[in-house]
Amino acid sequence: IDIDGRQYGRLWLYTDIAERRRAVQALRISEQRLRNYFELGLIGMDMTSTDKRFLHFNDRLCEILGYPRQELYGKTWLELTHPDDQPKDLQRFGRIERLETDILLTEKRFIKKDGSIAHAEVISRCVRRKGGGIDHYVAMIQDISARKQTEEKARTLRAQLLQSQKL
């Protein structure tokens, strides 16, 4: 320290940044785990805006809906929902907007890019801001098309069996 031209020693300031480095590393690991979970592909996952536009989604959702990633951006889930299922979806999301619930579990049909139908179980949750307004939605989408086809075949076989028994 220099006072009036005289030097009285030195002042060294040290900041231990080891704890901060550990915290940053832990955050990186946590973010990577979350990213890996999102991209794992076991289930379709998405984040949509309040106007129901796809903001983020994984490759599995692209596979379920039959759209390449770049074409899915900007689309809404309502555009891809089977027309017969749209009124029920809007009614369900109205419950979220009226603060009746934050989570929805539903079975619905999506129209894929090629025009075929994908049956899905969807669990959606809204993420709210502090004031209660909706910030965005998060959803997990499980393709159940194969199960639906199997159920339909079983129904057909049962009907055929009943018909043959009547004869």
Side-chain angles (χ1 to χ4, degrees):
I1 300 176
D2 187 19
I3 300 174
D4 296 328
R6 295 183 191 162
Q7 194 161 8
Y8 291 96
R10 297 181 197 257
L11 176 64
W12 297 92
L13 296 175
Y14 293 96
T15 303
D16 185 4
I17 61 170
E19 184 62 33
R20 180 182 167 163
R21 282 187 180 169
R22 281 191 290 276
V24 168
Q25 183 63 19
L27 180 61
R28 282 188 189 129
I29 290 169
S30 177
E31 287 175 345
Q32 186 60 47
R33 284 182 182 151
L34 183 59
R35 196 173 299 112
N36 289 344
Y37 174 70
F38 190 77
E39 291 299 334
L40 193 58
L42 298 175
I43 193 165
M45 297 177 75
D46 71 49
M47 179 189 298
T48 56
S49 63
T50 54
D51 66 353
K52 299 160 186 68
R53 294 197 182 285
F54 291 104
L55 300 172
H56 302 288
F57 44 86
N58 64 5
D59 289 339
R60 180 66 184 126
L61 184 63
C62 293
E63 292 170 18
I64 292 170
L65 299 176
Y67 280 87
R69 183 172 285 275
Q70 59 275 17
E71 288 184 36
L72 202 51
Y73 280 113
K75 291 201 176 293
T76 68
W77 58 261
L78 196 58
E79 290 176 64
L80 304 178
T81 298
H82 190 282
D84 294 343
D85 295 345
Q86 288 178 5
K88 286 181 184 176
D89 268 6
L90 290 171
Q91 182 183 20
R92 288 180 189 114
F93 276 89
R95 292 185 59 222
I96 288 177
E97 292 164 356
R98 291 187 303 274
L99 303 173
E100 295 172 13
T101 187
D102 282 346
I103 299 175
L104 297 174
L105 176 61
T106 187
E107 196 173 291
K108 64 185 282 180
R109 295 168 291 174
F110 288 103
I111 305 295
K112 296 171 71 166
K113 183 176 179 177
D114 66 5
S116 63
I117 294 177
H119 292 266
E121 281 183 345
V122 180
I123 185 162
S124 302
R125 179 170 185 128
C126 74
V127 177
R128 295 191 184 275
R129 291 186 221 102
K130 284 185 180 181
I134 300 168
D135 187 62
H136 62 277
Y137 295 96
V138 178
M140 293 185 289
I141 299 96
Q142 178 68 42
D143 187 350
I144 59 168
S145 298
R147 183 179 88 196
K148 287 294 193 179
Q149 289 173 349
T150 302
E151 289 171 357
E152 183 57 36
K153 286 179 186 176
R155 274 193 293 276
T156 301
L157 289 173
R158 276 194 296 276
Q160 290 173 348
L161 176 63
L162 286 172
Q163 184 63 29
S164 66
Q165 287 175 340
K166 287 179 183 178
L167 296 177

